[in-house]
Amino acid sequence: MLSANQVPTRFSQILNDQIGLYQKRRFIQVVNKIPSTKEIPIENPLHWLRIPNVVSVFVDMINSTQLSAENHDNGTAGVYHLYTGTAVRLFAEFGAPYIDVRGDGVLALFNETQSHRALAAAVTFKTFTQVEIAPRVKEKTEIEIGSHIGIDQQTVLVRKIGLKRHDQRSDRQNEVWAGRPVNMSAKLASLSKAGELLVSERYFKRFKDERVLKPCECSYGTKINMWEPIDLQHDTRFDFSTAYKLKSQWGWCREHGKDYCEGILALDPIV
Ligand SMILES: [Zn+2]
């Protein structure tokens, strides 16, 4: 407990209010899909939403720390727009109900009924990074950028946390997605090497169709399983013991990618 003389009163009042709020019982409303951002609660501080089996896709740029704002400012600015801007636009077009920019990375959340769609979106961005972004940036800046990509799926809690209004502004608040998938997808992303896509076991288990598991013969002359299990038993950052890695060289095939993408999108239920 803070003593009466530990912190100036105008600050300690806030701290005591927060403790009071913490001690109250929250009202958790179960909803079956991700609501529009304006419907995410902010008014009642005890109101949270619980959404089952949300798919979290997290992408961020490898080697972005090498991009300097001091030198080559035009190039650096362009890379951010190409990478982060493309991810946002692409995930929006793939129908992600929630998208947020996090640093140079992007978080996209999909509903349970969009599990295949989330994968198709991630593979499309992975392909674009490998085929277009990385070579172009390398040619211009000598820097080898790439994508970290991670996906997990589980229940989340959400509400807006922060100041509702501050000088007419509402920028001191954001949606907070509590629960495993957002954290786990970001951690899987950080574990991936350039061009790899890492997904959790519980998400991977949803895939039964051969188009997801064994893509066309073009890469290896035969249909092989493109997913490799990764042992995470001893990695305490994860609450699952196996991840699956989509090998780095694989993206949408130049010949058949379009058909595979449409085919995989069609595997989700129509809602
Ligand atoms: Zn092919």
Side-chain angles (χ1 to χ4, degrees):
M1 285 255 277
L2 293 171
S3 80
N5 297 322
Q6 205 161 2
V7 175
T9 311
R10 61 191 185 283
F11 305 125
S12 68
Q13 265 167 3
I14 291 173
L15 305 178
N16 289 331
D17 284 354
Q18 289 297 112
I19 296 289
L21 186 60
Y22 176 67
Q23 287 168 330
K24 284 186 181 157
R25 188 167 176 79
R26 268 145 284 274
F27 158 57
I28 314 259
Q29 181 190 359
V30 179
V31 294
N32 61 5
K33 58 181 192 166
I34 298 164
S36 71
T37 303
K38 67 176 193 308
E39 285 164 359
I40 295 175
I42 177 91
E43 297 287 343
N44 175 351
L46 299 172
H47 185 189
W48 286 77
L49 303 180
R50 184 175 198 262
I51 315 166
N53 297 318
V54 166
V55 182
S56 174
V57 179
F58 192 88
V59 304
D60 75 350
M61 211 193 306
I62 293 176
N63 278 343
S64 61
T65 47
Q66 292 185 26
L67 296 165
S68 165
E70 193 84 40
N71 313 311
H72 317 296
D73 54 356
N74 183 53
T76 293
V79 175
Y80 273 81
H81 217 144
L82 182 61
Y83 186 89
T84 311
T86 303
V88 172
R89 290 193 64 185
L90 200 62
F91 292 144
E93 188 59 34
F94 269 92
Y98 183 85
I99 300 171
D100 198 21
V101 176
R102 305 259 169 122
D104 58 50
V106 175
L107 166 71
L109 301 180
F110 292 85
N111 290 313
E112 183 176 16
T113 52
Q114 300 177 303
S115 299
H116 291 87
R117 179 166 289 272
L119 183 70
V123 172
T124 304
F125 187 66
K126 172 173 157 39
T127 307
F128 184 67
T129 310
Q130 281 166 253
V131 175
E132 295 282 0
I133 303 183
R136 281 171 195 274
V137 173
K138 169 89 177 153
E139 196 191 336
K140 244 187 167 168
T141 66
E142 295 282 296
I143 297 167
E144 300 211 13
I145 69 147
S147 254
H148 285 301
I149 312 181
I151 308 180
D152 186 25
Q153 177 168 31
Q154 227 195 22
T155 299
V156 296
L157 298 170
V158 65
R159 64 163 285 117
K160 291 179 183 132
I161 294 185
L163 303 178
K164 204 180 137 211
R165 280 272 177 270
H166 183 90
D167 296 340
Q168 312 297 322
R169 295 164 19 190
S170 60
D171 58 348
R172 294 192 179 185
Q173 52 158 278
N174 204 358
E175 298 75 39
V176 173
W177 301 88
R180 296 250 161 73
V182 174
N183 274 326
M184 293 289 147
S185 60
K187 284 185 181 132
L188 283 169
S190 71
L191 199 67
S192 69
K193 298 194 189 75
E196 291 174 354
L197 167 61
L198 272 180
V199 309
S200 66
E201 185 169 34
R202 53 192 169 223
Y203 175 63
F204 184 75
K205 277 184 173 162
R206 295 186 173 253
F207 301 123
K208 310 281 180 229
D209 194 278
E210 194 174 69
R211 278 167 290 191
V212 176
L213 303 174
K214 296 182 181 178
C216 60
E217 299 170 9
C218 301
S219 304
Y220 292 95
T222 174
K223 286 200 176 198
I224 61 159
N225 192 338
M226 295 302 280
W227 296 88
E228 187 183 304
I230 307 286
D231 183 7
L232 296 176
Q233 268 186 77
H234 303 294
D235 194 328
T236 52
R237 292 174 298 173
F238 299 97
D239 72 323
F240 41 83
S241 55
T242 309
Y244 287 83
K245 179 175 86 178
L246 186 59
K247 293 173 187 168
S248 63
Q249 56 275 49
W250 199 81
W252 296 127
C253 166
R254 298 187 75 83
E255 188 68 31
H256 307 104
K258 198 164 109 178
D259 294 341
Y260 269 76
C261 183
E262 296 290 8
I264 290 169
L265 286 174
L267 294 171
D268 280 332
I270 297 163
V271 286

